[in-house]
Amino acid sequence: RILLLASRPHTLTASLSPVLLSYALLGRDKCLHMSWYVFCALIQLATNLHNDYADHVLGADDSSTRVGSKRVTSAGLLRPTTTLGLSLLLAASASAVAAFVLPHHAYLPFIAVTSVANVFLYTGGPPTSYVLGSFSYAYSGFADVVCFLYFGLAAAATPALLSSAMSPAVLGAGVVSGLQSAAILTVNNV
């Protein structure tokens, strides 16, 4: 139950919607789309857990004044090292899906590596703060742009690129999904 709370399942439509739209438009290769969704969901879950961890470590979450869903690390339900470890495990699992399950394409290593990096760059904090200092997408105004690009355009377009079926409709689906994901991010941060 604690892990379910920490994963914020109510936000998983951000990774599901662009993949479903892409599948509806392309109408083929269910296995590719399912594998891609697993990758996207693992990235999102890893990001949610790292955000929970980093906001606690950085002092941004105060469980006594928080409005919205409970953050398990600051509420003392999970130790910070446990939350970070789970985030790392999910990011590694996403990397394994990209490396061993998804078809090889020149574009895939870039999107996979940057997606995993985004897990930790979204909120920052350790371990990224050891290299980048206090930089993070969430606290520098880039989070909405990155969310739009990765949970919109990249999430919808990658299956089309992997199957050589890119179209304007898929890009449009990416734009719509990206706007939805940015809205979810905004509401989640209120």
Side-chain angles (χ1 to χ4, degrees):
R1 182 149 169 91
I2 293 170
L3 292 178
L4 188 63
L5 179 64
S7 68
R8 303 179 208 163
H10 60 281
T11 66
L12 286 176
T13 55
S15 56
L16 179 60
S17 295
V19 179
L20 281 177
L21 287 172
S22 175
Y23 180 69
L25 291 167
L26 297 174
R28 59 182 181 200
D29 207 344
K30 189 184 320 183
C31 184
L32 168 65
H33 281 84
M34 184 54 112
S35 300
W36 179 242
Y37 175 65
V38 169
F39 174 83
C40 292
L42 287 168
I43 289 293
Q44 185 175 0
L45 291 168
T47 304
N48 288 349
L49 285 166
H50 187 266
N51 174 254
D52 194 297
Y53 158 78
D55 275 351
H56 170 73
V57 170
L58 297 170
D61 276 342
D62 180 354
S63 61
S64 65
T65 60
R66 175 152 184 84
V67 175
S69 62
K70 184 182 288 191
R71 299 295 188 248
V72 297
T73 310
S74 34
L77 301 173
L78 286 178
R79 292 186 318 235
T81 54
T82 302
T83 311
L84 176 61
L86 290 168
S87 175
L88 290 167
L89 177 66
L90 289 167
S93 298
S95 299
V97 168
F100 301 113
V101 177
L102 290 169
H104 295 283
H105 186 281
Y107 164 81
L108 189 59
F110 171 79
I111 203 68
V113 168
T114 56
S115 293
V116 170
N118 289 339
V119 166
F120 306 103
L121 291 172
Y122 172 69
T123 313
T128 55
S129 61
Y130 301 134
V131 177
L132 299 173
S134 62
F135 176 80
S136 75
Y137 297 144
Y139 298 117
S140 63
F142 292 115
D144 295 327
V145 173
V146 172
C147 187
F148 173 80
L149 291 173
Y150 280 83
F151 284 101
L153 293 175
T158 297
L161 285 171
L162 294 176
S163 61
S164 301
M166 182 55 69
S167 71
V170 170
L171 290 176
V175 169
V176 170
S177 297
L179 292 172
Q180 175 204 10
S181 295
I184 290 170
L185 180 69
T186 301
V187 170
N188 192 49
N189 288 328
V190 171

